[in-house]
PDB file of all heavy atoms in Angstrom:
ATOM      1  N   ARG A1194     108.134  30.556 161.325  1.00 95.00           N
ATOM      2  CA  ARG A1194     108.195  29.328 160.457  1.00 95.00           C
ATOM      3  C   ARG A1194     106.843  28.779 160.435  1.00 95.00           C
ATOM      4  O   ARG A1194     106.059  28.827 161.340  1.00 95.00           O
ATOM      5  CB  ARG A1194     109.197  28.296 161.176  1.00 95.00           C
ATOM      6  CG  ARG A1194     109.309  27.062 160.432  1.00 95.00           C
ATOM      7  CD  ARG A1194     110.371  26.187 160.960  1.00 95.00           C
ATOM      8  NE  ARG A1194     110.273  24.906 160.317  1.00 95.00           N
ATOM      9  CZ  ARG A1194     109.883  23.808 160.962  1.00 95.00           C
ATOM     10  NH1 ARG A1194     109.747  23.771 162.220  1.00 95.00           N
ATOM     11  NH2 ARG A1194     109.724  22.631 160.240  1.00 95.00           N
ATOM     12  N   PHE A1195     106.459  28.256 159.216  1.00 93.00           N
ATOM     13  CA  PHE A1195     105.118  27.733 159.051  1.00 93.00           C
ATOM     14  C   PHE A1195     105.148  26.381 158.210  1.00 93.00           C
ATOM     15  O   PHE A1195     106.092  26.156 157.477  1.00 93.00           O
ATOM     16  CB  PHE A1195     104.201  28.725 158.318  1.00 93.00           C
ATOM     17  CG  PHE A1195     104.616  29.086 156.925  1.00 93.00           C
ATOM     18  CD1 PHE A1195     104.090  28.355 155.835  1.00 93.00           C
ATOM     19  CD2 PHE A1195     105.522  30.107 156.654  1.00 93.00           C
ATOM     20  CE1 PHE A1195     104.488  28.701 154.594  1.00 93.00           C
ATOM     21  CE2 PHE A1195     105.771  30.440 155.319  1.00 93.00           C
ATOM     22  CZ  PHE A1195     105.320  29.786 154.299  1.00 93.00           C
ATOM     23  N   PHE A1196     104.113  25.631 158.445  1.00 91.00           N
ATOM     24  CA  PHE A1196     103.912  24.441 157.657  1.00 91.00           C
ATOM     25  C   PHE A1196     102.878  24.718 156.583  1.00 91.00           C
ATOM     26  O   PHE A1196     101.869  25.492 156.832  1.00 91.00           O
ATOM     27  CB  PHE A1196     103.268  23.287 158.540  1.00 91.00           C
ATOM     28  CG  PHE A1196     104.339  22.595 159.419  1.00 91.00           C
ATOM     29  CD1 PHE A1196     103.837  21.615 160.338  1.00 91.00           C
ATOM     30  CD2 PHE A1196     105.623  22.881 159.406  1.00 91.00           C
ATOM     31  CE1 PHE A1196     104.722  21.035 161.128  1.00 91.00           C
ATOM     32  CE2 PHE A1196     106.552  22.205 160.260  1.00 91.00           C
ATOM     33  CZ  PHE A1196     106.098  21.292 161.126  1.00 91.00           C
ATOM     34  N   ASP A1197     103.030  24.272 155.399  1.00 85.00           N
ATOM     35  CA  ASP A1197     102.165  24.543 154.281  1.00 85.00           C
ATOM     36  C   ASP A1197     101.532  23.210 153.880  1.00 85.00           C
ATOM     37  O   ASP A1197     102.040  22.409 153.111  1.00 85.00           O
ATOM     38  CB  ASP A1197     102.993  25.075 153.101  1.00 85.00           C
ATOM     39  CG  ASP A1197     102.144  25.437 151.894  1.00 85.00           C
ATOM     40  OD1 ASP A1197     100.902  25.193 151.993  1.00 85.00           O
ATOM     41  OD2 ASP A1197     102.703  26.006 150.952  1.00 85.00           O
ATOM     42  N   PRO A1198     100.261  22.947 154.373  1.00 85.00           N
ATOM     43  CA  PRO A1198      99.566  21.697 154.044  1.00 85.00           C
ATOM     44  C   PRO A1198      99.007  21.642 152.703  1.00 85.00           C
ATOM     45  O   PRO A1198      98.405  20.696 152.322  1.00 85.00           O
ATOM     46  CB  PRO A1198      98.579  21.612 155.123  1.00 85.00           C
ATOM     47  CG  PRO A1198      98.152  23.089 155.391  1.00 85.00           C
ATOM     48  CD  PRO A1198      99.472  23.784 155.339  1.00 85.00           C
ATOM     49  N   GLY A1199      99.230  22.664 151.840  1.00 79.00           N
ATOM     50  CA  GLY A1199      98.741  22.785 150.533  1.00 79.00           C
ATOM     51  C   GLY A1199      99.502  21.979 149.520  1.00 79.00           C
ATOM     52  O   GLY A1199      99.275  22.147 148.249  1.00 79.00           O
ATOM     53  N   THR A1200     100.448  21.173 149.981  1.00 81.00           N
ATOM     54  CA  THR A1200     101.247  20.304 148.988  1.00 81.00           C
ATOM     55  C   THR A1200     101.248  18.862 149.524  1.00 81.00           C
ATOM     56  O   THR A1200     101.148  18.584 150.686  1.00 81.00           O
ATOM     57  CB  THR A1200     102.699  20.828 148.954  1.00 81.00           C
ATOM     58  OG1 THR A1200     103.457  19.923 148.140  1.00 81.00           O
ATOM     59  CG2 THR A1200     103.350  20.963 150.349  1.00 81.00           C
ATOM     60  N   SER A1201     101.358  17.989 148.556  1.00 81.00           N
ATOM     61  CA  SER A1201     101.505  16.593 148.938  1.00 81.00           C
ATOM     62  C   SER A1201     103.002  16.214 149.174  1.00 81.00           C
ATOM     63  O   SER A1201     103.294  15.155 149.584  1.00 81.00           O
ATOM     64  CB  SER A1201     100.917  15.683 147.783  1.00 81.00           C
ATOM     65  OG  SER A1201     101.638  15.952 146.618  1.00 81.00           O
ATOM     66  N   ARG A1202     103.915  17.174 148.897  1.00 84.00           N
ATOM     67  CA  ARG A1202     105.299  16.955 149.047  1.00 84.00           C
ATOM     68  C   ARG A1202     105.654  17.305 150.501  1.00 84.00           C
ATOM     69  O   ARG A1202     105.870  18.468 150.808  1.00 84.00           O
ATOM     70  CB  ARG A1202     106.139  17.775 148.073  1.00 84.00           C
ATOM     71  CG  ARG A1202     105.911  17.324 146.642  1.00 84.00           C
ATOM     72  CD  ARG A1202     106.641  18.232 145.658  1.00 84.00           C
ATOM     73  NE  ARG A1202     107.931  18.758 146.123  1.00 84.00           N
ATOM     74  CZ  ARG A1202     108.341  19.992 145.807  1.00 84.00           C
ATOM     75  NH1 ARG A1202     107.553  20.758 144.964  1.00 84.00           N
ATOM     76  NH2 ARG A1202     109.452  20.449 146.302  1.00 84.00           N
ATOM     77  N   GLU A1203     105.670  16.276 151.335  1.00 84.00           N
ATOM     78  CA  GLU A1203     105.775  16.520 152.809  1.00 84.00           C
ATOM     79  C   GLU A1203     107.114  17.374 153.202  1.00 84.00           C
ATOM     80  O   GLU A1203     107.059  18.184 154.023  1.00 84.00           O
ATOM     81  CB  GLU A1203     105.874  15.161 153.518  1.00 84.00           C
ATOM     82  CG  GLU A1203     105.897  15.339 155.072  1.00 84.00           C
ATOM     83  CD  GLU A1203     105.749  13.976 155.743  1.00 84.00           C
ATOM     84  OE1 GLU A1203     105.246  13.035 155.183  1.00 84.00           O
ATOM     85  OE2 GLU A1203     106.305  13.906 156.884  1.00 84.00           O
ATOM     86  N   ASN A1204     108.195  17.017 152.510  1.00 87.00           N
ATOM     87  CA  ASN A1204     109.458  17.646 152.838  1.00 87.00           C
ATOM     88  C   ASN A1204     109.305  19.170 152.467  1.00 87.00           C
ATOM     89  O   ASN A1204     109.956  19.939 153.232  1.00 87.00           O
ATOM     90  CB  ASN A1204     110.581  17.093 152.075  1.00 87.00           C
ATOM     91  CG  ASN A1204     111.002  15.756 152.669  1.00 87.00           C
ATOM     92  OD1 ASN A1204     110.678  15.401 153.729  1.00 87.00           O
ATOM     93  ND2 ASN A1204     111.688  14.900 151.797  1.00 87.00           N
ATOM     94  N   ALA A1205     108.683  19.592 151.406  1.00 85.00           N
ATOM     95  CA  ALA A1205     108.460  20.996 151.116  1.00 85.00           C
ATOM     96  C   ALA A1205     107.512  21.708 152.046  1.00 85.00           C
ATOM     97  O   ALA A1205     107.743  22.767 152.478  1.00 85.00           O
ATOM     98  CB  ALA A1205     108.035  21.110 149.657  1.00 85.00           C
ATOM     99  N   GLY A1206     106.396  21.027 152.286  1.00 85.00           N
ATOM    100  CA  GLY A1206     105.405  21.576 153.181  1.00 85.00           C
ATOM    101  C   GLY A1206     105.855  21.836 154.552  1.00 85.00           C
ATOM    102  O   GLY A1206     105.374  22.710 155.270  1.00 85.00           O
ATOM    103  N   ALA A1207     106.763  20.989 155.109  1.00 88.00           N
ATOM    104  CA  ALA A1207     107.266  21.107 156.465  1.00 88.00           C
ATOM    105  C   ALA A1207     108.754  21.651 156.451  1.00 88.00           C
ATOM    106  O   ALA A1207     109.402  21.530 157.597  1.00 88.00           O
ATOM    107  CB  ALA A1207     107.213  19.723 157.143  1.00 88.00           C
ATOM    108  N   SER A1208     109.222  22.267 155.463  1.00 92.00           N
ATOM    109  CA  SER A1208     110.585  22.726 155.412  1.00 92.00           C
ATOM    110  C   SER A1208     110.853  23.816 156.423  1.00 92.00           C
ATOM    111  O   SER A1208     110.024  24.658 156.683  1.00 92.00           O
ATOM    112  CB  SER A1208     110.889  23.291 153.953  1.00 92.00           C
ATOM    113  OG  SER A1208     112.157  23.931 153.892  1.00 92.00           O
ATOM    114  N   HIS A1209     112.092  23.824 156.957  1.00 91.00           N
ATOM    115  CA  HIS A1209     112.519  24.911 157.856  1.00 91.00           C
ATOM    116  C   HIS A1209     112.652  26.225 157.116  1.00 91.00           C
ATOM    117  O   HIS A1209     112.897  27.222 157.728  1.00 91.00           O
ATOM    118  CB  HIS A1209     113.809  24.529 158.577  1.00 91.00           C
ATOM    119  CG  HIS A1209     113.553  23.473 159.628  1.00 91.00           C
ATOM    120  ND1 HIS A1209     113.229  23.708 160.818  1.00 91.00           N
ATOM    121  CD2 HIS A1209     113.776  22.077 159.567  1.00 91.00           C
ATOM    122  CE1 HIS A1209     113.128  22.610 161.572  1.00 91.00           C
ATOM    123  NE2 HIS A1209     113.379  21.605 160.797  1.00 91.00           N
ATOM    124  N   ASN A1211     110.426  27.518 155.158  1.00 93.00           N
ATOM    125  CA  ASN A1211     109.067  28.141 154.957  1.00 93.00           C
ATOM    126  C   ASN A1211     108.982  29.239 156.065  1.00 93.00           C
ATOM    127  O   ASN A1211     108.781  28.904 157.304  1.00 93.00           O
ATOM    128  CB  ASN A1211     107.877  27.117 155.118  1.00 93.00           C
ATOM    129  CG  ASN A1211     107.852  26.089 153.978  1.00 93.00           C
ATOM    130  OD1 ASN A1211     108.527  26.319 153.020  1.00 93.00           O
ATOM    131  ND2 ASN A1211     107.055  25.031 154.310  1.00 93.00           N
ATOM    132  N   SER A1225     106.952  29.676 150.495  1.00 85.00           N
ATOM    133  CA  SER A1225     106.947  28.289 150.818  1.00 85.00           C
ATOM    134  C   SER A1225     107.956  27.677 149.894  1.00 85.00           C
ATOM    135  O   SER A1225     108.095  27.980 148.689  1.00 85.00           O
ATOM    136  CB  SER A1225     105.582  27.676 150.660  1.00 85.00           C
ATOM    137  OG  SER A1225     105.676  26.290 150.780  1.00 85.00           O
ATOM    138  N   VAL A1226     108.675  26.740 150.367  1.00 85.00           N
ATOM    139  CA  VAL A1226     109.638  25.994 149.544  1.00 85.00           C
ATOM    140  C   VAL A1226     108.898  25.298 148.402  1.00 85.00           C
ATOM    141  O   VAL A1226     109.444  25.178 147.306  1.00 85.00           O
ATOM    142  CB  VAL A1226     110.381  24.954 150.368  1.00 85.00           C
ATOM    143  CG1 VAL A1226     111.204  23.916 149.488  1.00 85.00           C
ATOM    144  CG2 VAL A1226     111.359  25.625 151.342  1.00 85.00           C
ATOM    145  N   TYR A1227     107.618  24.953 148.627  1.00 79.00           N
ATOM    146  CA  TYR A1227     106.880  24.261 147.562  1.00 79.00           C
ATOM    147  C   TYR A1227     106.702  25.056 146.310  1.00 79.00           C
ATOM    148  O   TYR A1227     106.809  24.536 145.221  1.00 79.00           O
ATOM    149  CB  TYR A1227     105.477  23.963 148.195  1.00 79.00           C
ATOM    150  CG  TYR A1227     104.459  23.451 147.168  1.00 79.00           C
ATOM    151  CD1 TYR A1227     104.681  22.234 146.573  1.00 79.00           C
ATOM    152  CD2 TYR A1227     103.362  24.218 146.781  1.00 79.00           C
ATOM    153  CE1 TYR A1227     103.774  21.746 145.607  1.00 79.00           C
ATOM    154  CE2 TYR A1227     102.437  23.721 145.920  1.00 79.00           C
ATOM    155  CZ  TYR A1227     102.623  22.458 145.298  1.00 79.00           C
ATOM    156  OH  TYR A1227     101.784  22.044 144.462  1.00 79.00           O
TER     157      TYR A1227
END
Side-chain angles (χ1 to χ4, degrees):
R1194 183 172 167 247
F1195 65 91
F1196 285 176
D1197 184 356
T1200 175
S1201 61
R1202 294 176 34 215
E1203 185 176 337
N1204 289 340
S1208 172
H1209 287 277
N1211 293 345
S1225 169
V1226 169
Y1227 171 65

